[in-house]
Amino acid sequence: MTDTHSTAPAPTCSPETFFEELPLSDDVLDALWDMRFEKCTPIQAQCIPPILEGRDLIGIAQTGTGKTAAYLLPMLTLLARASHDADAVNCLIMAPTRELAQQIDQALQGFAYYTGINGVAVYGGNDGVRFEQERKSFQQGADIVVATPGRLITHLQLGNLDLSRTTHLILDEADRMLDMGFIDDIRFLLKQLPPKRQVILFSATMPDEIGAIAKEFMSNPAEVRIAVSKPAEKIDQSIYVCRNTDKMAVVGHIFSHKLPERVILFASSKACVKEITALLKKRGFNCAQMHSDLSQKERDEVMLAFRQRKTGILVATDIVSRGIDIDDIQMVINYDCPRDPEDYVHRIGRTARAGREGNAVTLVGERDFIALRKIEKLLGGHIRRNPLPEGCHEAVERPKQSPRRASSNHRDKERKTKGATRKATDVQADGNTHGTHRPRHRKPTRNKEQGESSHHP
């Protein structure tokens, strides 16, 4: 735990920075040369220097800004230059999902090709053989471990892993780990580290809980903020304002103009993904589903088939909106408006990558208008409306009830309920020949105070 916390801006760099201008190791630069990486993205140019200095760092940036290289490249350089225990885990990288952990591990293999630094990916959803391989990797000493919180906690609880000599910790997409309920796991992991360590945190947003972690566990961190990126200019964005019951008909209309290939259809729930996949398959479309209910083996098979073009449509939850890098996606369909406008940017950012063109279509139902306004506010303009196909009807935004009207409706409902109760009681009394007769249509005497609802403010 640290006693002081303050953030300082990272050193400024020239508008166009080349990797060769940065003090990276020759082995890392050789790998970048082979991969044809020459120029830094803004997040890389601003984060690499302070990380190389050994400073803690907070990076606020979205997926797609190049933040994976922003921490991997300097970390490989630090590990290559400094002496470390051969049997210790020297750097721990935490990621919220298996898919992101796999992507980080793949990038690590490329960047570390000439360095001799080894890494291991640790995530759930696989068999006992893989679990045993992970345990042996910890014992032998893995320079870099890329892990999801749940699997790593399991190894710690079983005594398979010791973090008391881990000198570098990187938290990638910390806000998403917070959303997924991993905040306590993160705190637990941070407490396992030695007092002298480097903590690097990347997040798309900076909620209070993440700020509290930074204050408690980081010392004078450099802070780099990259403005919320707007969708690529080559994405043709449009919407259909339709009833929820007509959304599947609109999807069929979209696919009727062109055979769907390289399409990702996003839905906000696993149940919706399963239902949409079943309906599309029933109509003869070549599609597959991706959500957290699938095992890791099933996920890998789905993604491999999609990458190899054996599957035309991938129906998925937001599990695919981050951490999946496929360059040739032709179209993204939002079956519903994401509630967070930044999720909208993440979703449609799957298309029009690497300079290509792409389409992003969003279906706006009765409950999506508030989300749509937030998205258009972020984009700074209205999204083009498409005409509905024949037989479909436009959704109408439900008007909001004022608190006074809502209270009045509550009182009306309460009066009707009380009236029905009295009527039932009177009818029961009339049918009881042994009881005292009460008139069936007695008018109740109620003063003003009795007429008010107990819930009225």
Side-chain angles (χ1 to χ4, degrees):
M1 184 183 299
T2 59
D3 297 326
T4 61
H5 169 77
S6 61
T7 57
T12 58
C13 298
S14 60
E16 192 173 79
T17 303
F18 289 83
F19 287 111
E20 287 190 347
E21 300 174 4
L22 300 174
L24 297 168
S25 71
D26 290 339
D27 290 335
V28 170
L29 290 174
D30 287 343
L32 290 173
W33 175 262
D34 288 348
M35 298 166 74
R36 302 295 187 266
F37 288 173
E38 298 181 0
K39 299 177 182 179
C40 301
T41 65
I43 191 71
Q44 293 163 0
Q46 295 183 53
C47 288
I48 290 176
I51 293 176
L52 286 173
E53 294 172 3
R55 295 184 60 184
D56 289 356
L57 180 135
I58 299 173
I60 309 299
Q62 290 183 306
T63 297
T65 54
K67 58 183 174 57
T68 303
Y71 59 75
L72 281 181
L73 299 179
M75 190 55 54
L76 288 169
T77 299
L78 289 175
L79 294 178
R81 289 176 178 171
S83 60
H84 295 86
D85 294 337
D87 59 343
V89 172
N90 299 309
C91 175
L92 174 62
I93 302 174
M94 300 301 302
T97 65
R98 307 168 192 171
E99 286 71 26
L100 182 55
Q102 288 175 321
Q103 181 173 318
I104 295 170
D105 182 54
Q106 291 170 1
L108 174 61
Q109 304 309 317
F111 295 144
Y113 187 80
Y114 295 112
T115 65
I117 294 174
N118 63 77
V120 59
V122 176
Y123 47 83
N126 41 53
D127 54 22
V129 174
R130 177 59 185 268
F131 190 88
E132 181 62 19
Q133 291 174 345
E134 294 169 355
R135 187 186 67 80
K136 290 181 178 179
S137 296
F138 297 148
Q139 289 181 342
Q140 295 170 0
D143 292 311
I144 298 178
V145 171
V146 185
T148 53
R151 184 62 160 238
L152 198 76
I153 293 293
T154 300
H155 279 293
L156 281 169
Q157 291 173 340
L158 293 175
N160 298 336
L161 177 63
D162 176 21
L163 297 180
S164 62
R165 293 180 291 168
T166 301
T167 51
H168 305 275
L169 173 67
I170 300 169
L171 302 174
D172 199 351
E173 294 194 2
D175 55 342
R176 194 171 183 196
M177 284 193 272
L178 173 67
D179 294 338
M180 296 173 70
F182 291 135
I183 189 69
D184 292 334
D185 292 336
I186 292 173
R187 288 183 176 277
F188 175 76
L189 292 171
L190 283 162
K191 292 177 180 178
Q192 309 303 310
L193 301 178
K196 187 177 181 181
R197 74 287 177 101
Q198 182 182 30
V199 179
I200 299 166
L201 184 152
F202 279 93
S203 182
T205 58
M206 194 66 175
D208 293 339
E209 293 87 345
I210 299 299
I213 286 180
K215 184 176 181 179
E216 184 177 357
F217 295 100
M218 302 178 77
S219 176
N220 189 29
E223 184 170 329
V224 176
R225 289 181 178 267
I226 301 299
V228 176
S229 60
K230 300 296 177 65
E233 294 182 359
K234 292 188 176 182
I235 300 179
D236 180 23
Q237 302 178 58
S238 63
I239 64 173
Y240 287 90
V241 180
C242 61
R243 294 179 182 176
N244 289 329
T245 53
D246 289 333
K247 285 187 175 182
M248 185 52 64
V250 173
V251 171
H253 169 74
I254 295 171
F255 291 161
S256 66
H257 293 285
K258 183 180 179 181
L259 182 66
E261 294 180 347
R262 319 306 290 150
V263 176
I264 299 180
L265 190 154
F266 283 105
S268 294
S269 69
K270 294 180 288 186
C272 190
V273 166
K274 296 173 184 178
E275 180 181 357
I276 294 170
T277 304
L279 290 172
L280 289 176
K281 285 185 175 180
K282 191 175 181 179
R283 298 186 181 192
F285 290 107
N286 178 20
C287 62
Q289 57 185 318
M290 172 67 94
H291 49 76
S292 60
D293 279 352
L294 300 180
S295 67
Q296 186 59 45
K297 181 180 179 182
E298 290 171 326
R299 291 193 201 185
D300 292 341
E301 291 174 350
V302 169
M303 290 308 304
L304 180 62
F306 188 62
R307 290 178 189 274
Q308 294 178 344
R309 296 175 174 267
K310 296 179 181 179
T311 302
I313 308 169
L314 182 64
V315 186
T317 58
D318 282 317
I319 196 173
V320 179
S321 66
R322 304 188 193 185
I324 299 296
D325 190 11
I326 302 176
D327 289 337
D328 58 346
I329 302 300
Q330 297 178 3
M331 175 181 287
V332 169
I333 298 176
N334 293 310
Y335 197 77
D336 42 35
C337 276
R339 296 298 175 252
D340 188 334
E342 291 186 9
D343 288 338
Y344 173 82
V345 176
H346 285 304
R347 285 184 180 186
I348 71 171
R350 298 306 96 194
T351 188
R353 298 173 72 88
R356 294 179 173 87
E357 296 181 351
N359 291 290
V361 180
T362 302
L363 310 186
V364 179
E366 294 89 338
R367 300 176 181 177
D368 295 328
F369 285 97
I370 294 177
L372 175 63
R373 283 196 290 270
K374 292 180 180 178
I375 292 170
E376 291 184 327
K377 182 180 179 181
L378 175 66
L379 299 179
H382 288 285
I383 305 174
R384 187 182 80 250
R385 270 64 171 168
N386 292 318
L388 291 173
E390 185 177 353
C392 295
H393 300 84
E394 184 171 339
V396 179
E397 185 174 8
R398 297 174 180 175
K400 293 183 179 180
Q401 285 188 335
S402 66
R404 185 173 182 179
R405 179 59 184 164
S407 177
S408 175
N409 289 344
H410 177 83
R411 292 195 298 270
D412 291 343
K413 184 177 180 180
E414 186 181 56
R415 292 189 187 104
K416 291 178 181 179
T417 302
K418 289 182 177 180
T421 302
R422 291 192 190 95
K423 185 174 181 180
T425 303
D426 292 343
V427 170
Q428 182 179 10
D430 287 343
N432 185 354
T433 56
H434 301 286
T436 305
H437 175 73
R438 283 185 268 181
R440 295 181 64 178
H441 301 290
R442 182 178 62 185
K443 182 178 180 180
T445 58
R446 302 169 67 244
N447 58 35
K448 184 176 181 180
E449 292 183 355
Q450 290 173 328
E452 295 294 329
S453 168
S454 61
H455 298 286
H456 186 67

